[in-house]
Amino acid sequence: MSLSEVDEKVGDSSSTKLNRVVIRFAGDSGDGMQLTGDRFTSEAASFGNDLATLPNFPAEIRAPQGTLPGVSSFQLHFADYDILTPGDRPDVLVAMNPAALKANLADVPKSGIIIVNTDEFNKRNLTKVGYAANPLEDGSLENFQVYEVAMGTITQGALAETGLGKKDAERCKNMFALGLLSWMYHRPTESTEQFLRDKFAKKPDIAEANILAFRAGWNYGETTEAFAVTYEVAPAKLAPGTYRQITGNTALAYGVVASAELSKLPVLLGTYPITPASDILHELSKHKNFNVTTFQAEDEIAGIGAALGHAFGGGLGMTTTSGPGVALKSETIGLAVMTELPLVVIDVQRGGPSTGLPTKTEQADLLQAMFGRNGESPVPIVAPATPSDCFDAALEATRIALHYRTPVILLSDGSIANGSEPWLIPDVEKLPDLSVQYANEPNAPDDSGEFWPYLRDPETLARPWAVPGTPGLQHRIGGLEKQEGKGSISYDPDNHDAMVRIRQSKVDGIEVPDLTVDDPSGGEAKMLVLGWGSTYGPIGAAARRVRAKGMPVASAHLRNLNPFPANLGDVLRRYERVLVPEMNGGQLALLLRGKYLVDVRSYTKVAGLPFKAEELEQVFTDHIGEIA
Amino acid sequence: MTATDLGLPQLGGLDLVPSTEEPQKAKDYKSDQEVRWCPGCGDYIVLNTMQSFLPTLGLKPENIVFISGIGCSSRFPYYMNTYGMHSIHGRAPAIATGLAVGRPDLSVWVVTGDGDALSIGGNHLVHALRRNVNIKILLFNNRIYGLTKGQYSPTSETGKVTKSTPMGSLDTPFNPVSLALGAEASFVGRALDSDKKGLTEVLTAAANHRGSALVEIYQNCPIFNDGAFDMLKDRDEAERRIIPLREGEPVIFGPESSDGELEYGVVRDPETGGLTVRKLAEVGVEQVVTHNPAAADPAQAFALSRLTGSDLAHTVTGIFRNVQAPSYDDLAREQVQTAMTKHPGDLQQLLRGNDTWTVS
Ligand SMILES: Cc1ncc(C[n+]2csc(CCOP(=O)(O)OP(=O)(O)O)c2C)c(N)n1
Ligand code: SF4
Ligand SMILES: [Mg+2]
C-alpha cells in the first residue's frame, strides 16, 4: 500500500493528487473542533471518499482554557480507496492554540503540514503549557511545513460589518479553519453552508456569521499566496450503492429501531446516562415514532430492570451503558439468565477500571461480559468491528436474544461509538425477519392441561415466552432455581446440575457463522492474527502493509465471542503462530488458551487509544521473523 | 401538569384492564404451590385477604401480575394464580415500571418487605413513587429482616437488639408513610395484617387509583420479631393507639365515653405547625382537623403520618393521600402514540438520512 503522489498542474495553481490524507483538527475544548471535524468529514463523504474518523476529547466539558488537558481533537482519514483506520499520524495538523500544538506535535511526521492560529500564541498561553520560547520563532518546527495564520483576527475582520460582538465573531474562527482546509483539499462547500443555515435556523445572524467565516477561510487560501499547493483526493471506488456517513452510536441506535420493526415488537430502552453510551439514548429518544420508548431511569439497575420487566410483558427490552454500568447491571443480567427472557445489553466500553478514562477507548470488559456474574451464568456476546457494523451487530444481538430467550451483551467501544465511516445503506426489504411467536396454549406433556414455562424447544433449548394477558398460561418465574419443564421452585441437587448444564448448552448451541480467514497468499501464511471489536481496522491495515512487503500473514476477526464460531479451534490449530492484539491485558487470548489449548501470543496495549497500523505492522513483522 | 391540562381522560387504575363476567372465588387465585411461610406468619393473612379481595375487582386473572423482590414476603407471587415474577432484592419497582409502561392492560402489583423496599431498594421506591407509575406497592413491614434470619431493618426501632446488633441498633428508623409522602406519592395507605376489612378497603382504593400507590402493611413475624404490633391488636390498647382515617371526617379516636363521644382528637399544634393528639373534652370537636386525602397539598397528610412514632404510641391507619395526578406510563405511551401518529416511522427513510452519495 504505497502512497503514489503525482504532481500535476491544474489550472493556475499547482494541485497535487494524493491517495489519502490524514487531517487532525486540534484546539481548546471550547473551540468547536468536533464540529469542524464532523463537517469536514461530511464534505469528504459527500465527495465520495472513503473515510474513518477518530474524535478525542477530554472528560471535562470545559477543562481550563488553553491547557493541555483541555485539548480536544478530531482526526479524519480520507482516501480514494477503502481504508480501515482513522490513520496513525496526521499529514496535516491544525492547531488552534499552543496547547493543541504541544499535545499533538509528537504525532506529526517530519515535513508534515502544521497550520497554526497565531492569535493564540501569546506569552500567557505559551507559559500556560510550559513553552519557554515561542515554538513558531525558536526554530523548533523547522522540520515541518508551518503555515501561520491569524485566524481569530482575520475572522473578526471578515465579520466586522455584521455587527456581531468581537467575542462572538472570534468564536467563528473554527469555520474559518474549515473553509481554509476545504479550499486546500478541493472540498465541496454547499453542504456546509446549508448545514450552518439549518443548525442556526433560529439565529440567522449567527448562521450568516459562520458562513462568512467559512468563506473567509476559503478566500484566504485562494487569494493569499501563502499556500502554494492544493491537494486532491479522488472519490473512492467503493462497492456500488448509496452511502451515508455514520458513527457507531448512531448505527447502534438505528439497529435498535430496525430491531423493533423487524421483530414487530415495541422497544423499551431502560438506561442511565454514561459516556460514551449516552448518544444512543439521545438518538433513540428522537425515534419514538417507531414504537420505541426511552426510559431514563434513576440508575443503571433500574434501567435494566425496566427493560427486563418490558421483556416479561412481551416487548423487546434493551439497555445501554458502559463498563461501570455493566457492573451495576450484573445481578439483573443474572436474573435474565435464570428467567430466560430476551434482553439486549449494550456496553460501549471505555477505559477502566472504575471511572477510568470515560472518553477514551478500551476493550477490557470482555471478561466482565463473559463471567461478571455470580454462579454459572452464560451470556452470548456479540462485538461489532466498525462503526457501521454496529447496525448489523444490533440485529444479531436481537436475533439471539429473541430466538434463544436470553440476555445478550453487545460490546462496542469508545472508538467505534464516536468514530464514523461511510455506510452502504441497507435495503430494508432485505433485512432479516426477527419475529418470534409467543406461547398461546398449555403445553404440558401429560394431559393436565397445564402450562410448563420451562418446557424447551428441543432445537434451540429456548423456553416458551408466555406473556401476561394470555389466558390459561399464568405462571411464576424468578431468580430461584426452577424445575426443568414444570418450572416450580426446585432445590433438587440433580435438577440444579441439569439446569446449569442446560443453560450452558443453550448458549453453546447458538448458531453463529463460521470464522473466515483472510489470506491473500492462498494459504502460505504461517501466522494468523486474530482480532475482535474495534481492532479490526488497525489489524487489517497492518496486515496489508506486511503483505505489501512480501510477507504472507493471515487475519481473521471474531464477531461472536460467546459462543465462538464452531470452526475456531480448527482454524487456530492450522497456524504455527496465532497472534491476538487487544486493547486490554490479554482477555481474548486467555479465553482461547483455556478453551483450545493453543499457545496464543498476545500483544496488548491499554493506552485509551486505538492501535496504530504502523505499530502493529512492526509487531506482525517481528513475529513473522521469529517463526521464519 | 395534570392529566386534565393534557386533555387526558381521568382514568381509574383499572380502566384499561380487561374485566370478566365470570364469577370468581378466592380459590381461583390460589396457585398449586405449597405455601412455605412459618406457621403463624402474618404473610398468610395478607395472602388470604388478597385472594378474597381480587375476585371483587372482576378482572381477568391473566391480566394481573405480581412482581416481588427478595425476602419472606417476596415469595408472595408464587402463591398467586396470576402471572408473577420473584425478582431480585430491592428491584421490583423498577421491573414493574418497565412492565407497566408497555402494558396498560395489566394490573401490576409489587410485593416488597421493609428491607427490600427501604434498604436495598430505597432508591427505586422513591423514584417509582415520584414518577407515579401505575403500580401498586405493598410493603410488608415486619420491622425485621425475616429471610436472612433476624437482623434489624430500616424500620426497626432504635436500640433494637438483634443478631447483628447485640448492643442495640443505632440508626433512626424510616416511617414509610412519611417517606412516601415526602416523595409526593399520589396514593399512600396503611393497614394491619390482621385487619381484613381495613386492609381490603385500602387495597380496593389503591387498585382503583391511577398512578403509584404505596400501602404499608404491618405484618407480624412470629419467629424474629414476634408481637411487634401486639399493642395494636389488643382491643383496649388498639382503641387508644390506632387513629383511623376516614375521608371527610374529623380525625377522632379512642374509647367511647358514656355519652358516645370518642376520647381523643387530632388538632393543629400552634407551636410546631404540625398536628397533635388532644383530649376532645379539652379542645372541643371544632378544633379537630378533617381528613381530606384528595388535598393537593400533602402537608396535612404528612403531619398525620408524623403522629406514628416508632413506639407505636399512636398509629394512623387508612388512606393518607389519594390524589389524581398524571401517571408516568400514560404519559410515556402518549408520547409514543403522538409520535407514531404524527410521523409514522419509515425505516428506509431513517437509514438513508439527509446526506447521501451514490457510487455507481
Ligand atoms: C443482593 C442481595 N443482598 C442480600 C440478600 C439477602 N437478603 C435476602 S432477603 C433480605 C432482607 C429481607 O428483609 P425484608 O425485605 O424485610 O423481607 P422479609 O424477609 O422480612 O419479608 C436480605 C438481606 C439478597 N438476597 N440479595
Ligand atoms: S421468618 Fe418471619 S416473616 Fe419470614 S416466614 Fe417466618 S414468620 Fe414470616
Ligand atoms: Mg422485613
Side-chain angles (χ1 to χ4, degrees):
Chain A
M1 192 203 51
S2 63
L3 281 185
S4 61
E5 294 192 15
V6 191
D7 263 331
E8 193 181 309
K9 280 271 185 198
V10 179
D12 295 336
S13 66
S14 143
S15 178
T16 304
K17 291 213 157 133
L18 300 175
N19 297 108
R20 63 183 196 104
V21 175
V22 178
I23 298 179
R24 186 183 296 176
F25 294 94
D28 202 63
S29 4
D31 282 345
M33 290 299 96
Q34 301 304 322
L35 177 73
T36 312
D38 242 12
R39 276 323 303 164
F40 199 95
T41 306
S42 293
E43 291 177 1
S46 58
F47 187 68
N49 295 128
D50 193 17
L51 59 91
T53 67
L54 176 67
N56 190 5
F57 43 86
E60 296 74 22
I61 304 307
R62 291 274 190 278
Q65 212 183 353
T67 62
L68 290 172
V71 173
S72 165
S73 70
F74 188 104
Q75 182 163 309
L76 157 73
H77 185 185
F78 60 106
D80 68 1
Y81 62 98
D82 68 311
I83 48 168
L84 297 165
T85 75
D88 292 354
R89 300 172 173 282
D91 303 306
V92 184
L93 171 68
V94 178
M96 302 301 283
N97 65 7
L101 178 68
K102 186 155 195 187
N104 293 287
L105 187 60
D107 291 341
V108 184
K110 293 272 168 294
S111 77
I113 297 176
I114 301 176
I115 303 174
V116 291
N117 172 23
T118 50
D119 285 332
E120 294 291 319
F121 280 68
N122 53 37
K123 188 119 202 272
R124 197 165 144 258
N125 288 348
L126 290 165
T127 322
K128 226 187 246 178
V129 295
Y131 272 127
N134 188 344
L136 304 179
E137 290 161 5
D138 67 1
S140 59
L141 301 179
E142 63 185 10
N143 287 325
F144 305 97
Q145 307 175 50
V146 180
Y147 295 95
E148 299 183 16
V149 187
M151 297 189 201
T153 313
I154 305 176
T155 306
Q156 280 179 15
L159 301 189
E161 309 279 276
T162 60
L164 213 62
K166 262 195 165 178
K167 259 223 168 106
D168 281 339
E170 206 263 349
R171 287 188 58 188
C172 298
K173 64 180 183 296
N174 62 331
M175 286 301 112
F176 177 93
L178 180 64
L180 178 56
L181 271 287
S182 303
W183 169 80
M184 268 179 86
Y185 290 95
H186 295 247
R187 301 286 102 184
T189 58
E190 308 78 43
S191 64
T192 294
E193 298 199 358
Q194 190 54 48
F195 167 83
L196 290 170
R197 281 197 187 95
D198 295 346
K199 181 173 167 72
F200 298 109
K202 291 205 181 106
K203 296 180 191 157
D205 50 332
I206 300 287
E208 274 322 300
N210 275 286
I211 291 169
L212 277 179
F214 177 67
R215 289 185 188 158
W218 178 283
N219 294 340
Y220 181 85
E222 177 95 345
T223 52
T224 65
E225 292 185 352
F227 295 86
V229 285
T230 58
Y231 304 89
E232 283 179 70
V233 179
K237 291 152 220 69
L238 301 176
T242 303
Y243 287 79
R244 64 173 284 168
Q245 179 210 341
I246 198 150
T247 67
N249 272 348
T250 310
L252 261 181
Y254 287 180
V256 171
V257 171
S259 297
E261 292 268 297
L262 301 170
S263 64
K264 301 178 193 72
L265 293 176
V267 163
L268 182 116
L269 176 80
T271 188
Y272 189 77
I274 185 169
T275 305
S278 305
D279 280 340
I280 307 172
L281 163 64
H282 304 160
E283 185 65 36
L284 280 174
S285 61
K286 292 188 273 188
H287 304 302
K288 298 198 164 66
N289 54 335
F290 288 91
N291 208 358
V292 172
T293 304
T294 51
F295 171 57
Q296 182 179 316
E298 58 271 24
D299 62 18
E300 278 81 355
I301 305 174
I304 189 173
L308 187 67
H310 188 68
F312 183 51
L316 186 50
M318 304 235 176
T319 190
T320 46
T321 191
S322 188
V326 176
L328 289 174
K329 292 174 195 294
S330 331
E331 195 190 6
T332 311
I333 299 175
L335 178 63
V337 168
M338 205 65 166
T339 52
E340 303 191 40
L341 285 170
L343 184 68
V344 176
V345 179
I346 295 173
D347 172 8
V348 186
Q349 301 165 95
R350 64 189 217 179
S354 187
T355 309
L357 305 173
T359 58
K360 310 292 178 204
T361 194
E362 205 160 287
Q363 12 175 224
D365 297 352
L366 175 59
L367 295 184
Q368 181 188 31
M370 193 77 189
F371 301 119
R373 291 163 298 282
N374 58 306
E376 294 292 349
S377 182
V379 171
I381 303 170
V382 177
T386 66
S388 65
D389 188 36
C390 286
F391 179 81
D392 300 300
L395 299 192
E396 169 75 348
T398 304
R399 173 190 75 88
I400 295 174
L402 288 174
H403 200 63
Y404 295 90
R405 321 266 204 264
T406 174
V408 177
I409 296 181
L410 186 155
L411 285 179
S412 176
D413 70 35
S415 66
I416 292 183
N418 293 318
S420 61
E421 63 177 354
W423 181 37
L424 179 59
I425 299 163
D427 179 355
V428 167
E429 299 291 313
K430 296 195 177 117
L431 293 175
D433 175 7
L434 297 178
S435 60
V436 291
Q437 285 285 317
Y438 298 138
N440 51 19
E441 53 184 23
N443 61 353
D446 52 25
D447 296 328
S448 59
E450 288 173 358
F451 174 65
W452 288 18
Y454 279 77
L455 195 69
R456 294 166 191 282
D457 178 306
E459 239 158 68
T460 60
L461 298 183
R463 71 175 196 87
W465 194 8
V467 307
T470 317
L473 305 195
Q474 285 98 308
H475 66 282
R476 277 66 52 190
I477 56 176
L480 286 172
E481 184 62 281
K482 297 291 178 289
Q483 187 191 328
E484 171 62 354
K486 216 166 170 209
S488 336
I489 303 174
S490 166
Y491 301 116
D492 178 74
D494 292 337
N495 177 72
H496 177 55
D497 185 75
M499 287 298 267
V500 165
R501 287 168 205 282
I502 290 168
R503 285 186 288 264
Q504 186 66 50
S505 306
K506 181 172 89 166
V507 171
D508 290 346
I510 291 171
E511 269 186 58
V512 304
D514 267 353
L515 185 71
T516 53
V517 176
D518 179 31
D519 178 9
S521 73
E524 267 178 52
K526 293 185 187 157
M527 179 167 92
L528 171 76
V529 183
L530 182 67
W532 72 276
S534 69
T535 56
Y536 172 81
I539 290 177
R544 281 185 189 174
R545 292 178 183 213
V546 171
R547 288 168 191 154
K549 290 196 290 190
M551 288 179 280
V553 63
S555 62
H557 194 78
L558 278 177
R559 198 147 167 279
N560 295 86
L561 290 134
N562 196 26
F564 286 132
N567 66 338
L568 178 58
D570 288 344
V571 170
L572 295 179
R573 285 184 207 102
R574 245 187 267 149
Y575 292 88
E576 205 172 315
R577 178 150 300 185
V578 177
L579 177 68
V580 178
E582 288 179 271
M583 297 187 292
N584 59 40
Q587 300 192 2
L588 175 62
L590 178 77
L591 293 176
L592 297 174
R593 285 169 156 259
K595 178 147 191 181
Y596 299 107
L597 294 175
V598 168
D599 183 17
V600 167
R601 301 301 174 96
S602 204
Y603 177 73
T604 66
K605 191 156 182 183
V606 205
L609 289 169
F611 286 119
K612 292 187 156 81
E614 67 179 26
E615 166 190 12
L616 291 184
E617 175 188 358
Q618 190 58 49
V619 174
F620 296 3
T621 309
D622 292 348
H623 274 273
I624 293 171
E626 279 178 30
I627 55 172
Chain B
M1 219 169 12
T2 67
T4 330
D5 293 342
L6 289 162
L8 294 177
Q10 289 287 2
L11 287 173
L14 301 170
D15 282 359
L16 303 179
V17 183
S19 54
T20 172
E21 294 294 313
E22 294 265 312
Q24 298 177 8
K25 293 210 185 68
K27 87 170 193 342
D28 298 336
Y29 283 97
K30 291 196 166 93
S31 79
D32 61 353
Q33 299 293 300
E34 177 200 347
V35 185
R36 293 197 199 157
W37 288 309
C38 309
C41 177
D43 292 349
Y44 281 100
I45 332 178
V46 185
L47 179 67
N48 286 336
T49 303
M50 180 57 92
Q51 284 166 340
S52 29
F53 150 72
L54 280 183
T56 66
L57 296 179
L59 303 175
K60 290 195 168 168
E62 63 267 23
N63 288 75
I64 302 175
V65 184
F66 282 85
I67 299 200
S68 63
I70 298 290
C72 296
S73 39
S74 287
R75 296 293 176 91
F76 197 94
Y78 287 119
Y79 309 135
M80 298 294 305
N81 189 19
T82 62
Y83 283 88
M85 190 196 292
H86 174 222
S87 75
I88 47 178
H89 203 16
R91 318 302 174 193
I95 295 171
T97 296
L99 180 63
V101 166
R103 296 290 306 270
D105 59 328
L106 302 178
S107 168
V108 181
W109 298 76
V110 167
V111 175
T112 179
D114 41 322
D116 194 62
L118 301 170
S119 286
I120 194 165
N123 196 30
H124 307 308
L125 180 76
V126 293
H127 286 281
L129 294 177
R130 97 176 150 80
R131 271 189 202 108
N132 202 29
V133 188
N134 194 21
I135 59 178
K136 317 301 154 199
I137 304 171
L138 309 182
L139 196 170
F140 289 45
N141 183 5
N142 53 11
R143 307 185 77 182
I144 200 81
Y145 286 0
L147 191 68
T148 46
K149 303 197 175 159
Q151 300 84 4
Y152 83 111
S153 90
T155 55
S156 299
E157 58 281 16
T158 309
K160 182 99 180 159
V161 174
T162 71
K163 262 186 211 140
S164 62
T165 51
M167 293 171 73
S169 64
L170 301 172
D171 20 338
T172 306
F174 267 138
N175 174 331
V177 169
S178 295
L179 181 78
L181 288 167
E184 299 196 37
S186 57
F187 184 105
V188 185
R190 179 189 279 145
L192 252 91
D193 55 3
S194 53
D195 176 14
K196 187 168 182 173
K197 182 162 164 281
L199 178 56
T200 304
E201 263 172 38
V202 176
L203 292 179
T204 308
N208 287 297
H209 170 75
R210 192 148 198 94
S212 18
L214 180 97
V215 179
E216 184 190 8
I217 303 170
Y218 286 159
Q219 171 242 325
N220 190 38
C221 165
I223 305 296
F224 296 113
N225 200 17
D226 194 22
F229 306 104
D230 273 4
M231 61 285 237
L232 305 177
K233 295 179 181 173
D234 172 277
R235 236 191 130 231
D236 292 340
E237 286 286 318
E239 268 186 344
R240 279 171 206 293
R241 291 174 185 256
I242 295 185
I243 309 179
L245 297 176
R246 290 180 203 91
E247 183 170 2
E249 291 184 21
V251 185
I252 47 176
F253 67 102
E256 239 174 75
S257 63
S258 48
D259 53 5
E261 289 284 330
L262 296 187
E263 194 170 346
Y264 301 105
V266 172
V267 301
R268 274 182 222 297
D269 182 339
E271 262 171 46
T272 63
L275 297 176
T276 189
V277 172
R278 299 290 293 275
K279 281 210 152 111
L280 266 186
E282 286 167 19
V283 291
V285 74
E286 57 284 356
Q287 295 290 318
V288 172
V289 298
T290 301
H291 181 49
N292 176 13
D297 183 346
Q300 183 170 303
F302 187 80
L304 283 168
S305 79
R306 302 314 294 160
L307 295 172
T308 306
S310 77
D311 59 359
L312 303 182
H314 289 122
T315 291
V316 186
T317 61
I319 297 162
F320 289 76
R321 189 164 202 240
N322 186 0
V323 296
Q324 288 197 334
S327 76
Y328 178 89
D329 47 311
D330 283 334
L331 297 177
R333 284 187 296 269
E334 172 85 3
Q335 280 194 344
V336 170
Q337 273 313 320
T338 306
M340 288 174 59
T341 326
K342 273 200 178 152
H343 309 283
D346 175 343
L347 184 58
Q348 191 68 65
Q349 183 56 41
L350 174 74
L351 302 188
R352 270 187 70 89
N354 303 320
D355 241 340
T356 60
W357 72 95
T358 301
V359 175
S360 46

